[in-house]
């Protein structure tokens, strides 16, 4: 790593610290947001006093004409999230970081969350921009993959461990 890279990393870190402080939230609560941004996926954090959760969604834009595109990442970051409503039941396989294998779980197709604060970020790799803003609303409805991720992280926040049926209980069937 050369000196220019090190300086760029320090500059990025300073801008990140300024962005975090601009929301008036204790810094450790931003851990799920930073993990989602830097490592990918959805994350949650809980202390004795409070909890937070980041849920990631992606949308890919592709031009048939130019044969190019990019995947926009959306990060919903919740301070003190609560489940208000759930709709539908989806059977799916999930792997949690603490488990060695995926497990069969049930997740809602739609989940409505309430939070003390909801911060929304868009990560645009095409423009190399990260836009972060606080949403005015305190409720949000998520559908599909972000709903499954939110339910998974809420299970961590409420129960600690995510539980499901092990993949090894499945039966192999040879197709014709």
């Amino acid at each position: 790593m050369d000196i220019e890279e090190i300086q760029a990393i320090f500059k990025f870190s300073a801008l990140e610290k300024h962005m975090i402080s601009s929301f008036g939230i204790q810094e450790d609560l931003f851990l799920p947001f930073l993990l989602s941004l830097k490592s990918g996926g959805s994350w949650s954090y809980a202390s004795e006093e409070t909890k937070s959760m980041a849920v990631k969604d992606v949308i890919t834009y592709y031009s048939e004409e130019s044969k190019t595109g990019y995947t926009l990442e959306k990060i919903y970051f919740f301070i003190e999230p609560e489940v208000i409503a759930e709709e539908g039941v989806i059977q799916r396989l999930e792997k949690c970081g603490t488990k060695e294998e995926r497990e069969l779980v049930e997740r809602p197709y739609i989940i409505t969350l309430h939070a003390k604060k909801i911060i929304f970020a868009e990560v645009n790799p095409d423009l190399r921009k990260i836009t972060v803003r606080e949403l005015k609303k305190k409720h949000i409805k998520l559908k599909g993959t972000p709903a499954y991720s939110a339910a998974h992280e809420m299970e961590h926040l409420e129960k600690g461990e995510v539980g499901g049926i092990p993949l090894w209980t499945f039966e192999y069937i040879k197709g014709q």
Side-chain angles (χ1 to χ4, degrees):
M1 191 178 307
D2 63 19
I3 191 71
E4 287 85 21
E5 270 186 308
I6 293 169
Q7 288 172 331
I9 291 168
F10 281 144
K11 180 181 177 186
F12 182 82
S13 295
L15 292 170
E16 192 170 68
K17 187 168 179 61
H18 176 71
M19 181 275 303
I20 289 169
S21 66
S22 74
F23 290 104
I25 299 168
Q26 65 189 63
E27 290 182 7
D28 60 331
L29 286 177
F30 267 89
L31 188 57
F33 175 85
L34 295 173
L35 286 168
S36 187
L37 177 65
K38 295 179 180 188
S39 298
S42 298
W43 298 82
S44 55
Y45 168 83
S47 67
E48 289 182 17
E49 304 85 40
T50 190
K51 58 189 175 183
S52 63
M53 171 178 75
V55 174
K56 191 176 103 172
D57 192 13
V58 296
I59 300 172
T60 298
Y61 296 96
Y62 181 74
S63 166
E64 288 290 340
E65 186 178 299
S66 68
K67 304 292 185 209
T68 61
Y70 65 95
T71 298
L72 182 74
E73 294 188 4
K74 297 179 176 189
I75 301 171
Y76 298 91
F77 178 56
F78 303 90
I79 305 297
E80 297 294 335
E82 298 174 40
V83 176
I84 299 302
E86 295 179 343
E87 182 181 321
V89 177
I90 302 295
Q91 301 281 323
R92 57 181 269 116
L93 289 168
E94 291 183 353
K95 165 123 179 24
C96 187
T98 60
K99 303 282 178 98
E100 292 186 24
E101 294 182 344
R102 296 192 304 160
E103 293 180 329
L104 175 64
V105 296
E106 287 186 352
R107 297 287 179 228
Y109 182 67
I110 298 171
I111 192 168
T112 304
L113 299 166
H114 170 80
K116 183 177 172 183
K117 281 190 183 210
I118 303 174
I119 296 170
F120 176 72
E122 283 189 335
V123 184
N124 187 322
D126 191 45
L127 301 175
R128 291 180 26 194
K129 301 281 184 203
I130 304 167
T131 305
V132 185
R133 63 187 167 89
E134 184 173 343
L135 299 180
K136 289 182 170 57
K137 59 186 175 180
K138 303 296 182 205
H139 289 70
I140 196 160
K141 186 182 281 193
L142 302 172
K143 182 167 89 171
T145 301
Y148 315 145
S149 297
H152 178 103
E153 295 306 325
M154 288 302 296
E155 189 171 339
H156 276 301
L157 291 171
E158 293 168 357
K159 299 178 184 171
E161 191 71 26
V162 172
I165 299 169
L167 181 62
W168 51 261
T169 65
F170 281 46
E171 176 184 351
Y172 274 106
I173 300 171
K174 185 174 180 181
Q176 302 281 354

